[in-house]
Structures are given as C-alpha cells and as structure tokens.
Amino acid sequence: KILYEKNADQKLQPVSTVKIMAGLIATENLADRLDEVIVVTESMIANVVGQHYNIMPGHNLSVKDLLYLAFCGGCHKSINILACVISGNPANFITLMNTKAKMLGMNDTFYSNATGMDSDTMYTTVNDIAKLCLAASKNPLLMQITTTDAYTTERLGDRNFTFENRNYLVGTGYTPLYYNPLCHGLSAGSTIDSGYCVATIADNGDLSYLCIV
C-alpha cells in the first residue's frame, strides 16, 4: 500500500541507489565466498572516482571486507573490485545490473556505472527504486551490511581499518542527529549535480515502511 508519493514516475539520476543494485548482485554472487582473499590489481581500480579509502594495488582484502567497504562505507574502489571479481570487468557487471533491473520490472531504469556517479545516460524512477528495495529487503546479507553502524576490516594493506555507515539513519559515526533505531539499510548519498538521496526500510515490529527520497 502506498501511503504517499510525489513524482514517482519522473526519470532522474539514481545517485547512490545504484549501490543497492550493485550490492544485490554482489551478495547474490559472493555470499559463499566471504573468506576468499582478493589481491587488488591496477586494472581493478583504474579511473575510479569518488570515495575510495586509499585502496591500492597489491592490497589483500577479503570478499567480506570488500562488501562492507562498498555497501556500508560507500567505497567506489571496492565496488569496482567486486565487479571485476564477479564479471571480469565493470562493463560486464553493469550489463548484469541492467539485466537484473529488467527481471525486477524496472522498465524505466538504465545503469551506466555501478557507483552512482552522475551520467547523462543513466536514469531511474522512484517507483523502480521501490521495486529494487523490495528485492533487496529479502536479501539478509545485504540488509545486514547496509544496516551495520561501523565495521573494521580484517586487513587493508598492512593494517586494520574502521569506518562508519554513511547512511545517517542507521549509523551514528558521523552524527547521531538523524539516527532512527527502526531503520534498516539501504543506501544514502549525494552528488554535486543531482543532490541527496536516501532509501531505507523502517520496521516498528508490526508494519514495515519503505521510504525513498
């Protein structure tokens, strides 16, 4: 049941909601490989812009660490690395994302990157994002990752590294002002051109509410 909507079919940039789709595909493909260690290569992180946590070629990272870095911490290099692990290269991974979108009935969505950076060729609608969020809500691993307040990697180069969830509704590391204990997942972020977005699920024990802005 829809309680409120506005411009739900208007095409717009997906911004960080792209990470929900990337996370859904990544967790579906790698849930049984969490302890596998990936050696980062130059080609895996070439030309990546946005949040990256200084991941460098030669670093050894477990699949679990990469998933948390990507979808709890919003690390774009981690998303690119996971795309290469799953599909060989980011382009093939984006094809998987668009195929999955069609499977979910997201007929007004097209992805041209896996991180949410603005692109003239990329678009979605709030109604399509809702379909994606409903699918993601049935994925326990993705919901766990995107609801985690803070996470410490097993290794990042020669050290451990702790980072906070960038979704202020579920994490308190950046600010406690917006924290809501009823919220779970899914993604929040912004770009200079397209502004802010957030998608989350609130559950009071009796009812669940999906909010997308």
Side-chain angles (χ1 to χ4, degrees):
K1 178 181 178 181
I2 297 174
L3 299 181
Y4 176 81
E5 69 174 49
K6 182 178 181 180
N7 301 328
D9 290 314
Q10 177 182 327
K11 287 186 179 180
L12 69 167
Q13 290 282 335
V15 197
S16 286
T17 65
V18 169
K19 294 184 178 74
I20 304 173
M21 177 61 83
L24 182 60
I25 292 174
T27 50
E28 286 178 346
N29 281 272
L30 298 172
D32 60 349
R33 297 170 59 184
L34 298 181
D35 294 329
E36 182 177 331
V37 175
I38 306 300
V39 180
V40 180
T41 66
E42 183 71 40
S43 63
M44 287 177 170
I45 55 176
N47 303 315
V48 176
V49 296
Q51 181 71 268
H52 58 76
Y53 293 127
N54 203 35
I55 294 175
M56 303 296 290
H59 281 174
N60 298 311
L61 288 159
S62 70
V63 167
K64 180 181 178 182
D65 283 352
L66 287 166
L67 288 170
Y68 274 88
L69 281 161
F71 307 115
C72 174
C75 175
H76 290 190
K77 283 187 177 180
S78 292
I79 295 172
N80 234 49
I81 295 165
L82 290 167
C84 292
V85 170
I86 293 167
S87 303
N89 59 62
N92 288 341
F93 187 78
I94 293 165
T95 298
L96 282 183
M97 291 171 62
N98 285 311
T99 299
K100 185 73 170 182
K102 295 303 181 187
M103 290 175 58
L104 295 175
M106 299 169 63
N107 297 320
D108 292 311
T109 294
F110 180 78
Y111 298 117
S112 57
N113 67 65
T115 60
M117 299 301 291
D118 287 327
S119 167
D120 291 340
T121 61
M122 189 155 62
Y123 57 84
T124 191
T125 67
V126 170
N127 272 333
D128 273 6
I129 296 170
K131 295 172 184 176
L132 171 60
C133 290
L134 289 175
S137 71
K138 299 172 184 176
N139 183 309
L141 178 57
L142 181 58
M143 292 304 299
Q144 176 184 321
I145 292 170
T146 59
T147 306
T148 296
D149 185 5
Y151 180 83
T152 300
T153 62
E154 298 171 4
R155 67 185 87 189
L156 181 55
D158 59 354
R159 61 189 175 88
N160 293 339
F161 176 69
T162 300
F163 55 91
E164 289 79 29
N165 197 314
R166 296 173 65 82
N167 180 350
Y168 296 171
L169 291 173
V170 299
T172 59
Y174 289 95
T175 174
L177 294 177
Y178 307 103
Y179 175 71
N180 186 328
L182 301 180
C183 288
H184 306 278
L186 279 156
S187 185
S190 66
T191 62
I192 293 174
D193 292 337
S194 299
Y196 295 88
C197 73
V198 63
T200 193
I201 294 172
D203 188 340
N204 65 8
D206 294 319
L207 295 171
S208 294
Y209 300 88
L210 172 61
C211 176
I212 302 165
V213 180

